[in-house]
Amino acid sequence: MKGGIVGVLCSALLLAVEAACAPNSDAITKVPGFKPNKWVARTWEGNNYACKCHPGDYCWPKQNHWNNLNRTVGGNLRVNLPPGAPCYNTFQGPLGTVNTYDAAKCAAVTAGFPNEQFQIELPTAGLWTYFTNDTCRPTADPTGSCTLGYYPVLYITAKTVAHIQAGINFARNNNLRLVIRNTGHDFLGRSVGWGSLVINTHSFKSISTTNNWNGPGYNGPAITVGAGVQAFEALAHLNSLSPPRIMVTGECATVGVAGGLVQGGGHGPLTNFYGFLADTAVQFKVITADGKIQTANANTNSDLFWALKGGGPAAFAVITEVTYKTFADTPSAGINLDINPATNSDPALYWEAVRKFHSYSTHFVDNGLYVYYEIGPVPNTLHVHPIVGVNKTLAQLQAVVQPLFDDLDALGVGYTTSSETYGTFYDLYNAMFEIEMAGNSALTGGWTIGRQDVINNHTAIIDAFQTVMNAGSFIVGHMWSAGHGLPQSEWAKSAINPRFRNVVDKLITIVPVSGDAPLAAKAEAQNRLTNIVDGSLRAAAPNGASYINEADPFQPDWQNAFWGTNYQRLLQIRRKYDPEGVFYAVSTPGTERWEQIETGTRLCVKL
């Protein structure tokens, strides 16, 4: 439908748009570092703001402008409907009301809502719903209210680089809030945004490999992937080679490997050996905020190349493809461990078992192991699935882990364990890592624990774990060392916070809260996450850092927590490549002056 729903819904808004008044404040057109004059003047809680253009504002593009954009992007511009809209009689959106009920589609979305891949294939869904305002979830009551919440207003399903360029140029020229979305695989709400236009890059699925990449800074085997390629697709392609090869990815198979993952760093089961995914990137093809296609590598746009490697997702450019180093795959072994309430009803004994387990974090990473574990949410539960020994026989892996089992036996702790050997790491990856679920609502935080913290302050760390649990949160842990196998001479070649090189455990903390909870309940949950849950971890592990893709974006001193001594350089690069603030993702370099005012809706600069 090249005109269809865009034209119908936009026309419903025209009278309201034309009745709105343009701001006359000179301050709006003189915001430092910004050129667009389509700002909207707002006052919020006693402060004056210059805001991006949103539906209903005088500067919101007219119907003919949207139609022109739609033609430019090959008819791939659409008005956005929330995933659950087919379950409701009508969708009441900012551009008008649409009849949406479809029993078959409702059944499909209800069944698929908890499935990550189902949500990924939707054009604008966020896999976790808190930052959507938890609006319009699948329901059995079609008479309920379905509104847009904080989902985007319109989206472009980009099929070509030119489509991405057109979307960026349109957003920049009209001062619209722009969201770049691939898989929606983020905890911080970066894939959604009230009043925004989305460019969806998930259709960029190209994969190619070579044994002889010959480019700046690297000669050797490599894989080049389009923006939409996911971990399971890249790994399957590499496994099909003879001999099979591997690359660094996240532990979750559905995550995209050429977008927010690498721009945030990208940790996973191979981090002990090769560092972050960002450390293995050798070249990017991107589109910058001026709409131009750029190559970034060690010689060309080298500052941008450095920033794209861990400097912050959706902050510097839109990635269209990335080339990464690849590595030989090897036989690997894994062990699972479970401590559960049925065999451990004594909380004191349980926490002593957790203390013993976690005290081995330095031992595990120094021996090249990767450990994925969960504490809670059921009390007295420790779920370790898996302990991974890459390029290890089962006997070698068991020898490293056996001291832990001996300690648990000496304590009298009940546990269950299983183990397996695999012909390749790829086989282990598919067999031992558990499938993650989508569609839940929660606030996510996290912190990392430095080697010296474990050595000097371990009792306080376990006390902090108990504080986290007592505050109604739970922990997902990842034991790895990004400085273990990567030569120190390589550490500064990416924008990763230098403190990460001495980390031995990376934690995610999760505080369940509904996205449509009352504002007071949301504020309480955010305070609990920032100041009690994560606050206790920061105090116990002062040598740690925070990982931008899995953290609390509202924590104090986030610039230092996410990037440490690299922050000022990143800020300069951001101002160079995006001086007008075309791109926005919460708590990334240069966003200090931006706020989401009016209960997290309008994106504005404080005057």
Side-chain angles (χ1 to χ4, degrees):
M1 296 192 325
K2 292 193 175 182
I5 194 168
V6 174
V8 171
L9 293 186
C10 284
S11 63
L13 189 67
L14 284 179
L15 291 178
V17 170
E18 291 168 354
C21 296
N24 56 19
S25 171
D26 289 340
I28 300 277
T29 61
K30 297 178 181 178
V31 178
F34 294 89
K35 296 178 182 177
N37 58 8
K38 294 186 176 182
W39 293 97
V40 177
R42 306 294 287 190
T43 300
W44 175 250
E45 296 183 341
N47 297 307
N48 294 322
Y49 293 88
C51 301
K52 293 266 189 180
C53 192
H54 296 290
D57 294 332
Y58 81 100
C59 51
W60 184 255
K62 304 299 189 290
Q63 177 179 339
N64 64 310
H65 297 149
W66 287 112
N67 289 342
N68 287 338
L69 174 62
N70 192 35
R71 284 190 290 270
T72 303
V73 298
N76 288 301
L77 175 68
R78 294 286 184 274
V79 171
N80 187 39
L81 304 178
C87 296
Y88 296 80
N89 289 332
T90 59
F91 162 66
Q92 299 89 37
L95 304 183
T97 298
V98 185
N99 294 325
T100 51
Y101 185 75
D102 185 309
K105 291 181 179 179
C106 177
V109 76
T110 300
F113 206 70
N115 181 279
E116 282 191 343
Q117 195 61 34
F118 178 88
Q119 296 254 16
I120 286 167
E121 298 301 331
L122 298 174
T124 65
L127 269 63
W128 299 276
T129 61
Y130 179 81
F131 288 102
T132 70
N133 208 38
D134 235 3
T135 184
C136 198
R137 294 179 71 92
T139 182
D141 178 14
T143 65
S145 174
C146 174
T147 60
L148 192 60
Y150 294 172
Y151 282 109
V153 180
L154 299 106
Y155 65 91
I156 298 168
T157 302
K159 302 292 180 64
T160 68
V161 169
H163 294 168
I164 298 176
Q165 291 177 289
I168 292 174
N169 291 336
F170 190 85
R172 184 187 64 252
N173 292 336
N174 291 282
N175 204 20
L176 306 181
R177 180 172 182 178
L178 180 64
V179 171
I180 309 304
R181 197 266 191 192
N182 175 12
T183 64
H185 222 298
D186 80 270
F187 295 116
L188 281 66
R190 300 175 310 214
S191 295
V192 297
W194 187 86
S196 63
L197 170 67
V198 161
I199 299 175
N200 185 302
T201 63
H202 190 58
S203 67
F204 287 68
K205 291 287 192 179
S206 61
I207 302 176
S208 63
T209 57
T210 178
N211 289 324
N212 300 294
W213 170 269
N214 187 10
Y218 176 67
N219 296 316
I223 182 171
T224 300
V225 294
V229 173
Q230 295 171 256
F232 72 89
E233 295 168 318
L235 291 174
H237 186 95
L238 289 169
N239 183 255
S240 70
L241 302 178
S242 182
R245 299 191 66 79
I246 51 173
M247 64 178 290
V248 176
T249 67
E251 56 79 25
C252 181
T254 60
V255 70
V257 293
L261 182 67
V262 64
Q263 292 173 90
H267 67 88
L270 300 177
T271 291
N272 275 330
F273 298 92
Y274 311 115
F276 288 90
L277 176 62
D279 293 317
T280 71
V282 297
Q283 182 167 281
F284 294 87
K285 295 290 182 68
V286 301
I287 303 172
T288 43
D290 56 7
K292 295 180 180 178
I293 301 170
Q294 306 274 10
T295 296
N297 56 41
N299 288 351
T300 304
N301 296 313
S302 58
D303 55 349
L304 179 60
F305 178 59
W306 179 82
L308 289 167
K309 297 193 295 179
F316 299 94
V318 178
I319 294 174
T320 61
E321 70 172 37
V322 192
T323 300
Y324 296 108
K325 300 175 184 178
T326 65
F327 311 94
D329 204 348
T330 58
S332 301
I335 294 174
N336 292 328
L337 167 67
D338 278 288
I339 296 173
N340 58 66
T343 56
N344 297 280
S345 58
D346 180 359
L349 179 61
Y350 164 76
W351 282 109
E352 180 62 15
V354 172
R355 186 187 70 81
K356 284 291 187 183
F357 162 72
H358 197 270
S359 70
Y360 281 95
S361 54
T362 56
H363 170 73
F364 289 155
V365 300
D366 287 347
N367 281 276
L369 304 191
Y370 172 88
V371 182
Y372 182 93
Y373 69 93
E374 298 169 0
I375 297 177
V378 178
N380 298 350
T381 299
L382 174 63
H383 182 68
V384 188
H385 279 236
I387 303 171
V388 179
V390 177
N391 198 26
K392 279 185 167 54
T393 66
L394 185 55
Q396 290 171 325
L397 176 60
Q398 288 173 329
V400 177
V401 178
Q402 190 58 46
L404 168 62
F405 291 149
D406 293 342
D407 283 347
L408 295 178
D409 291 339
L411 287 172
V413 174
Y415 61 89
T416 58
T417 184
S418 61
S419 59
E420 189 61 71
T421 299
Y422 298 90
T424 63
F425 167 75
Y426 176 76
D427 294 330
L428 182 150
Y429 184 84
N430 286 327
M432 297 200 76
F433 284 94
E434 297 174 317
I435 296 174
E436 297 182 5
M437 303 296 289
N440 295 317
S441 179
L443 280 170
T444 301
W447 191 247
T448 60
I449 298 174
R451 178 181 296 274
Q452 286 304 120
D453 298 321
V454 174
I455 294 171
N456 298 331
N457 211 27
H458 196 246
T459 297
I461 290 170
I462 302 307
D463 289 345
F465 283 11
Q466 294 183 64
T467 298
V468 170
M469 295 297 293
N470 292 335
S473 181
F474 58 98
I475 293 172
V476 179
H478 314 72
M479 293 179 184
W480 44 251
S481 171
H484 176 73
L486 187 70
Q488 191 167 350
S489 60
E490 298 289 314
W491 292 1
K493 292 182 178 180
S494 71
I496 302 294
N497 190 332
R499 296 203 299 274
F500 273 115
R501 304 305 180 181
N502 295 307
V503 162
V504 296
D505 193 7
K506 185 237 166 278
L507 308 174
I508 301 173
T509 54
I510 299 169
V511 175
V513 58
S514 175
D516 61 358
L519 292 179
K522 287 184 174 183
E524 186 282 326
Q526 183 65 60
N527 178 69
R528 184 161 27 111
L529 174 68
T530 300
N531 297 311
I532 299 174
V533 172
D534 285 1
S536 66
L537 295 171
R538 291 193 297 268
N543 294 293
S546 196
Y547 179 68
I548 180 62
N549 285 347
E550 298 161 336
D552 174 14
F554 307 111
Q555 64 186 290
D557 194 19
W558 55 264
Q559 297 91 335
N560 180 55
F562 290 139
W563 291 286
T565 55
N566 287 335
Y567 187 75
Q568 288 304 313
R569 183 181 175 192
L570 286 168
L571 185 60
Q572 293 172 358
I573 297 169
R574 176 66 179 271
R575 289 171 177 169
K576 173 182 176 181
Y577 286 96
D578 186 16
E580 300 176 30
V582 174
F583 302 127
Y584 174 82
V586 63
S587 298
T588 51
T591 58
E592 294 89 344
R593 53 186 166 182
W594 293 94
E595 294 182 34
Q596 295 180 89
I597 67 169
E598 300 176 12
T599 61
T601 56
R602 289 181 176 270
L603 182 61
C604 308
V605 176
K606 190 175 181 180
L607 299 176

